[in-house]
Amino acid sequence: MEHYDAIVIGAGHNGLIAAAYLAQAGKRVAVLERREIIGGATVTEEHFPGYHLSTCSYVCSLLLPEVVRELDLPSYGYDVRPFDPQIFAPQPDGQYFMSFLDAGKTREQLLKFSRHDADAWDAYWDHWERIITSAWPLIMGPPPSLSDLERAFDRPGGQEDLRLLLFGSVADILDRYFESNAIKGALSTGGVIGSNLGPRSPGSAYVKFHHLLGKLNGHRGAWGYVRGGMGAIANAIAGAGRDAGVEILTDAEVTEIETASGGATGVRLADGRRIQADAVISTADPQRTFLQMLDSRQLPGDFVASIERMKRKGSVVKVLLGLSELPDFTALPGTEVGPQHTGGIMICPSIDYVQRAWMDAEAGQPSARPFMDCYIQSATEDGLAPEGKHTLSMFVQYAPYDLADGDWDSRRNEIGDIIIDTFAEYAPNLPNAIEHIAVLGPPDIEATVGITGGNIFHGEITPDQMFNYRPATGQTGYRTPVGRLYLGGSGVWPGGAVFGAPGRNCAREVLAQLDPA
Ligand SMILES: Cc1cc2nc3c(=O)[nH]c(=O)nc-3n(C[C@H](O)[C@H](O)[C@H](O)COP(=O)(O)OP(=O)(O)OC[C@H]3O[C@@H](n4cnc5c(N)ncnc54)[C@H](O)[C@@H]3O)c2cc1C
């Protein structure tokens, strides 16, 4: 039987990162991926002839600079560029708000809505900068406890910053600094992205913090396009890993993590193959790992109960479109490429709008008027769409995994129509420009990427499920109750997004255990 130093389950970016670090340290490593392609939620596919769209994740900010440098990802094709403007937020009254990388240009935009808000902009960003400065050392290490957090924020003003971060909403923070609905609406979405929260829900301040952890070209919280789409990240990590000796097997679904005497000994695949290893690292989500690949009787009852309780039902819809022409926005007309097409197009005119959208989903309904975070990467880069045509990626909230009426198969098209109609209120030419459309609800994301419940982060990233509460209370490092079995995907600290921190942190812990000093 084949024997490796380490087996990694899942070729999402975290699995590939963990494998690459282990191989760089001289370990013999195999990555086993159930799909026919690598990348997990970091993948770009030709969804319609000639149209290349990133199926799930679509923009990048958080990917750790350490990972980029240590794996030398630019040599393997990784090329990220912040888009500018960062935000184009058309309003129902025909105005629009834009934010740019350049502070002066953003100030002009802010002044269109409120001098008060223009004057508050820097203080708002200082608020986040000091919180991130306090928290950052914890991100790069094992899951912290609340006491670790209190120590990290033990500085003047730190208690209040921590209170808001843990228990506040994104609206609480925005209301402190701003008065304009347009500005607050545009800034609120980072507090709810991927989450079953409204902007007034406690916990949404933390979700916003998570989305600001990245820096591109020195710009805090800036997001960017990856040349070729997000799949280029997975391909670059895989390239670095392969050069270090990683073997990547696709169409290799793990059905069982084999154990003996309380420790993992290897895995069994769906085709019956068995592979042994000294360490097994799962980057599949916690439910798949502990409730499907293991016999839960091998695990402590309270641990199993925690994993079962973990909030993990998604309410994100991803809509992928092939367009014959660019959207023509009422607020900034034109179908030639302009700033309204090149960055994030946000349909979220106020906090109340986003809150209402969430309340619909809380009642089991798709939002009557959803909020949307949309991107036309083809407006900035050749090769993603046929000549003269465009891609449009829409990340939409909310539509619950469990619909109160009907199911996804019977309502997918209707939900797609609501989304297109909502966007058309801002760009009326959209419906006629659509040549191809695919609508992926939470069950589709679950089926395609293998994320239980379709939650984009392998479980909500609210404070009650972070730190050493992720994936279960008392999580110590990346170890699990089963010896030699580790968890290294988004379901562990510091959580989801194309980030790389779980995979990197986990690899370090595995190496420390395989090669104790
Ligand atoms: C719709 C959507 C939009 C998103 N947008 C963004 C964004 O724009 N920017 C951003 O930073 N983040 C975004 N995210 C979040 C981010 O993509 C994920 O948090 C991250 O990619 C997860 O990476 P991972 O390696 O932890 O897990 P995954 O990418 O989920 O990888 C896990 C892998 O394990 C495999 N697997 C599961 N079970 C088995 C098994 N039994 N045997 C073998 N293999 C198995 C799966 O097939 C999968 O490939 C988005 C996610 C989604 C779903």
Side-chain angles (χ1 to χ4, degrees), residues 60-61 65 78-84 86 101 214-225:
C60 180
S61 174
Y78 170 69
D79 177 10
V80 65
R81 57 186 190 282
F83 37 80
D84 202 19
Q86 284 280 298
L101 298 175
K215 241 184 189 179
L216 283 186
N217 295 4
H219 298 279
R220 162 68 58 211
W223 289 77
Y225 292 125

Side-chain angles (χ1 to χ4, degrees), residues 9-15 32-35 39-42 55-60 223 230 252-255 283-284 288 293 316 318 395 445 449-451 456-458 489-490 496-498:
I9 303 172
H13 80 291
N14 276 312
L32 306 173
E33 167 56 46
R34 57 180 262 286
R35 286 194 78 187
T42 312
T55 312
C56 291
S57 62
Y58 47 102
V59 285
C60 180
W223 289 77
M230 294 295 279
E253 177 169 6
V254 173
T255 50
T283 61
R288 278 193 171 236
M293 297 184 213
V316 166
K318 190 78 193 286
F395 180 96
I445 292 169
V449 195
I451 302 177
I456 77 164
F457 299 130
H458 291 198
S490 294
V498 182

Side-chain angles (χ1 to χ4, degrees), residues 69-84:
R69 192 177 59 246
E70 290 158 0
L71 300 183
D72 192 16
L73 297 186
S75 297
Y76 295 92
Y78 170 69
D79 177 10
V80 65
R81 57 186 190 282
F83 37 80
D84 202 19

Side-chain angles (χ1 to χ4, degrees), residues 8-17 31-43 54-63 193-194 210-211 223-224 230 233 249 251-256 268-270 282-285 288-289 292-293 316-319 373 375 393-396 440-441 445-452 454-458 461 470 488-492 495-500 502-503:
V8 178
I9 303 172
H13 80 291
N14 276 312
L16 294 167
I17 286 170
V31 179
L32 306 173
E33 167 56 46
R34 57 180 262 286
R35 286 194 78 187
E36 67 288 3
I37 51 170
I38 63 164
T42 312
V43 68
S54 297
T55 312
C56 291
S57 62
Y58 47 102
V59 285
C60 180
S61 174
L62 272 64
L63 186 63
I193 284 233
H210 188 84
H211 284 103
W223 289 77
M230 294 295 279
I233 296 179
L249 281 68
D251 289 311
E253 177 169 6
V254 173
T255 50
E256 186 185 340
R268 182 186 289 275
L269 301 184
S282 176
T283 61
D285 66 65
R288 278 193 171 236
T289 303
Q292 291 182 21
M293 297 184 213
V316 166
V317 187
K318 190 78 193 286
V319 181
D373 185 26
Y375 293 84
S393 157
M394 300 173 135
F395 180 96
V396 183
L440 305 176
I445 292 169
E446 178 179 63
T448 310
V449 195
I451 302 177
T452 309
N455 181 292
I456 77 164
F457 299 130
H458 291 198
I461 55 166
R470 188 175 187 86
S490 294
V492 278
V498 182
F499 193 3

Side-chain angles (χ1 to χ4, degrees), residues 374-391:
C374 307
Y375 293 84
I376 308 172
Q377 187 166 346
S378 61
T380 70
E381 180 181 333
D382 289 338
L384 298 177
E387 189 66 32
K389 316 239 172 171
H390 286 283
T391 57

